[in-house]
Each structure stands twice: as C-alpha cells, then as structure tokens.
Amino acid sequence: GEQVRVYQQFCQRFPTDTLAAWYWLETAVDYGKPEEMKAAAEHYLKFPPESSVADAWRRLMIVAEKNNNDQTIARNSWNWMQQAQQKFGPDPTYAAGIGDQLLKFGLEAEAVQHWTTYMAANRNHYESRDCATRLLARIKEPPQRIAFIQSGWHRDIVDQFGVTEFVGYSSDVAE
C-alpha cells in the first residue's frame, strides 16, 4: 500500500535512518508485495543490530518465505540475528517458529542451533519447551530420546493461579 511507498521514499531521502528502515520493513511485511518486502529487508540488514528483537527476526523470515523461500535472505537474516544475540543477548519470542522457517529454507544446522540455544535461554518461557520438542522430534532412537528427556530439558512449574504446567528446560528434574 501507500504506507510502504512512503517509508521507502523516506529511506531513500534519509538512507542512514535506522528507525525509518525498521518502519519500512514492518510496513512492507504487513502490507507490501514480496518485492517490496525484499527491498525493505535488504535495506534494514545494511544496519548493525541495535538490540535483540525477535519481531524483526520473524519479519525477516517472512520476507524470505514470501520471496520463494529465498535462502540468501534467510542466511543473511540468520547472520544478522547472530550479531544481535551476541551483542544484546537472546529474545526467545518466536524462537521455535524461526527455527521452523530456517529448516524450511534448507538451513538445518542453523535451525538446530537456534532451537538448542532457545531451549536453554529462558527455561520458564514456553518457547523453551517448543524448541525442546522440535529437537526431541529429530531424535529417532528410543534410548537417545529417553536420554534427551532425562537430561533435564523439562520441569513442571506452578503458575500464579496454582496450575501446574509442563514447561521448558531445567537442570533440576526430579527423578
């Protein structure tokens, strides 16, 4: 739509404005055509990460998907995500889905690394459990599956309402 063109023009006029680049990417993903998304993503990826924002990572994966599962966009996005995480730490939001997308784009090692990282990043976050289940599904042999489960990737927690829920990674699993 019109807003995509407005942000694109804004970025052409002010090519070093990182906030404008973010708004262009955000708007292009929500309302643009695949080629508009790609242009916005390529512009956004020119800037070094300023924080760890999983919504940006999710949007970059959408751009790759909408552009015929473009592995180059996915790989460039993955590299950019790694820079953000190294500098600012992890953001577990959308972690399992981002790993799913990486796998879809043929980036299997990156997907496994992403799931492994976020299985342990915040064991109280539901994405920890979802990443662990992705990894567990890849293990075919029963002894290895049992070892993985017993290795401490899960635990039960009681939420603020007294409901017990099976979540995430833990090193203190009860026998």
Side-chain angles (χ1 to χ4, degrees):
E2 184 61 29
Q3 282 302 105
V4 176
R5 285 188 297 281
V6 167
Y7 283 118
Q8 180 180 14
Q9 290 171 356
F10 193 95
C11 287
Q12 289 169 342
R13 175 87 167 89
F14 302 100
T16 60
D17 189 321
T18 57
L19 187 57
W22 164 247
Y23 287 144
W24 183 18
L25 176 65
E26 182 181 49
T27 305
V29 169
D30 288 348
Y31 306 107
K33 297 173 184 156
E35 60 273 10
E36 293 170 323
M37 293 179 193
K38 185 176 182 178
E42 288 172 345
H43 180 71
Y44 186 72
L45 290 170
K46 290 178 184 176
F47 298 98
E50 294 183 345
S51 62
S52 281
V53 180
D55 187 46
W57 308 340
R58 176 186 69 86
R59 288 174 186 281
L60 290 165
M61 293 295 110
I62 290 170
V63 172
E65 179 180 28
K66 297 292 183 180
N67 282 276
N68 299 313
N69 297 325
D70 188 312
Q71 196 177 61
T72 300
I73 294 171
R75 183 167 304 286
N76 291 342
S77 298
W78 166 256
N79 292 335
W80 191 87
M81 290 164 44
Q82 296 312 296
Q83 291 173 24
Q85 291 172 80
Q86 288 169 5
K87 189 169 182 182
F88 302 105
D91 179 351
T93 312
Y94 309 116
I98 289 170
D100 293 344
Q101 291 293 85
L102 290 165
L103 185 63
K104 179 180 180 177
F105 305 140
L107 302 174
E108 183 176 4
E110 292 83 350
V112 169
Q113 181 182 340
H114 198 74
W115 291 322
T116 302
T117 296
Y118 284 99
M119 178 181 72
N122 178 353
R123 65 185 188 205
N124 289 322
H125 199 285
Y126 65 88
E127 289 286 348
S128 174
R129 176 200 59 224
D130 292 349
C131 288
T133 59
R134 300 308 199 276
L135 292 167
L136 180 61
R138 300 176 64 73
I139 302 171
K140 301 303 178 201
E141 296 300 319
Q144 286 84 9
R145 290 174 63 83
I146 291 168
F148 181 80
I149 292 167
Q150 290 177 337
S151 70
W153 68 269
H154 64 83
R155 70 183 183 133
D156 292 334
I157 63 164
V158 178
D159 69 14
Q160 70 268 27
F161 304 108
V163 177
T164 301
E165 182 181 351
F166 179 75
V167 211
Y169 173 87
S170 176
S171 58
D172 54 9
V173 176
E175 301 291 11

